[in-house]
Amino acid sequence: MTAAPPDTDDRALDQAVDWLIRLAEAPTDATLRARCDQWRTEAPENEAAWHHANRVSGLIGRHGTGQVAPFPPVRQRSRWALPAGAAVAACLVLALLAPTLVRYLAADQRTGVGERRVIALADGSTVTLAPQSAIRIDFSPTGRRVTLLAGEGYFAVAHDPARPFQVVAGGMTTSDIGTAFDVVRQGQGGAVAVREGAVSVRYDGAPDARELHAGDWLAMDGATVADGRRPPETVGGWTRGTLAVIDRPLAEVVAALRPYYSGLILLSDERLAGQSVTGSFDLTDPEGAVRALVRPHGAEVRRITPWLLVISPA
């Protein structure tokens, strides 16, 4: 099992998995095959995602053609056997989640699917970890550092000028100036939003640190940096079981719901991914939240196995 190569786009990987499942369910459908081939040629990241999805699911043929191996006819199916598409999905769930386990091995504290936990630190600060999150804690007499290895954390910091408190997520370092704030690890970057007080944020490529106050947020991913404002009371709303979003892309909201679902949630349509979403969603019912999220946009949610939801146009 292998992590996706650097040129594999997450959204393209979602689409590649959806194509694999469809083709596994209908291996003789020439029209479906042609549509898949067309999708592969539309962008280099599509082709890269297709080969990665094939590789992790073990479906590439001996000669490396990149074609889905045909499923042999089944004369009599065991009552425990999965349909072809479900079997593919089960393999992909295990393969695509494996890289996350590597990050967890380096963690001092971690959470599982759907698990939120409040962690009391030795200095009197607290960290609330979102599901599927992991942190490493490095405290010394002169400083306090928490590295967010995966997921999201809400920090309520006991201010101590003699021992600065820093949160590192990707190429972003957030320093406390007496505050409560939320940090998300996003790919190789991160995002921070302030609920109370202020923080100083330094990120790769910036000559100076940025100071953020209550309601401010900043996100960076590679060379791309975005910032803005939101109601401060919505920061860290997930700690109370609610995800509140205002004018955010549907793909971003799906990504926020994934840690709460015990499997994979795949979004296969580019048009849907960019649709704007405003609303409040119940994190205690992630499948219901996904269905409520996509319903106004005319999409459907297919449950392929107990561990995989696929979002696609109706």
Side-chain angles (χ1 to χ4, degrees):
M1 297 178 186
T2 177
D7 59 346
T8 303
D9 180 81
D10 286 345
R11 192 173 300 162
L13 189 57
D14 281 359
Q15 294 170 343
V17 171
D18 189 46
W19 280 117
L20 278 177
I21 294 168
R22 293 186 193 183
L23 290 168
E25 292 174 335
T28 61
D29 189 330
T31 301
L32 190 64
R33 164 65 62 186
R35 288 171 55 201
C36 175
D37 290 343
Q38 179 181 354
W39 169 81
R40 289 171 57 188
T41 62
E42 288 175 353
E45 55 267 28
N46 292 356
E47 184 69 8
W50 172 257
H51 281 283
H52 178 63
N54 270 279
R55 184 163 59 254
V56 298
S57 63
L59 293 179
I60 283 185
R62 289 184 180 180
H63 304 293
T65 61
Q67 300 298 312
V68 174
F71 289 88
V74 180
R75 294 179 180 272
Q76 183 174 1
R77 184 181 303 231
S78 163
R79 66 190 182 96
W80 298 107
L82 288 173
V88 174
C91 291
L92 287 164
V93 167
L94 293 174
L96 297 176
L97 290 179
T100 303
L101 300 178
V102 177
R103 292 193 294 268
Y104 282 10
L105 294 177
D108 294 315
Q109 298 284 347
R110 62 189 65 82
T111 53
V113 175
E115 177 188 8
R116 295 191 300 270
R117 189 192 317 159
V118 179
I119 300 163
L121 302 180
D123 65 335
S125 302
T126 61
V127 183
T128 304
L129 284 185
Q132 292 187 321
S133 298
I135 57 173
R136 185 172 62 243
I137 303 167
D138 299 298
F139 278 16
S140 73
T142 58
R144 301 167 290 169
R145 171 173 289 207
V146 176
T147 302
L148 185 62
L149 301 170
E152 184 171 7
Y154 180 78
F155 297 82
V157 178
H159 190 53
D160 182 355
R163 299 174 69 209
F165 191 103
Q166 296 182 325
V167 179
V168 179
M172 174 180 288
T173 300
T174 301
S175 301
D176 163 64
I177 312 178
T179 189
F181 58 96
D182 189 82
V183 179
V184 184
R185 179 71 184 264
Q186 298 178 159
Q188 298 304 309
V192 59
V194 183
R195 182 179 177 92
E196 301 172 3
V199 299
S200 173
V201 181
R202 185 177 296 277
Y203 53 90
D204 292 347
D208 301 302
R210 293 271 302 274
E211 189 168 307
L212 306 182
H213 298 267
D216 292 339
W217 63 266
L218 185 146
M220 61 85 64
D221 187 4
T224 302
V225 179
D227 58 16
R229 287 191 56 79
R230 57 188 287 191
E233 62 272 14
T234 66
V235 175
W238 58 268
T239 64
R240 301 179 293 277
T242 301
L243 177 65
V245 294
I246 300 173
D247 192 25
R248 305 308 302 162
L250 188 144
E252 181 181 307
V253 184
V254 169
L257 291 171
R258 282 181 174 129
Y260 295 85
Y261 182 70
S262 56
L264 290 181
I265 304 172
L266 302 181
L267 175 59
S268 63
D269 185 77
E270 188 75 20
R271 183 189 62 81
L272 282 174
Q275 294 295 310
S276 176
V277 173
T278 295
S280 180
F281 303 95
D282 182 2
L283 295 174
T284 65
D285 179 15
E287 182 173 343
V290 171
R291 295 185 185 279
L293 167 67
V294 304
R295 190 177 299 119
H297 302 283
E300 66 176 1
V301 179
R302 290 182 292 151
R303 184 192 289 179
I304 305 300
T305 76
W307 312 282
L308 177 60
L309 299 177
V310 177
I311 304 169
S312 57

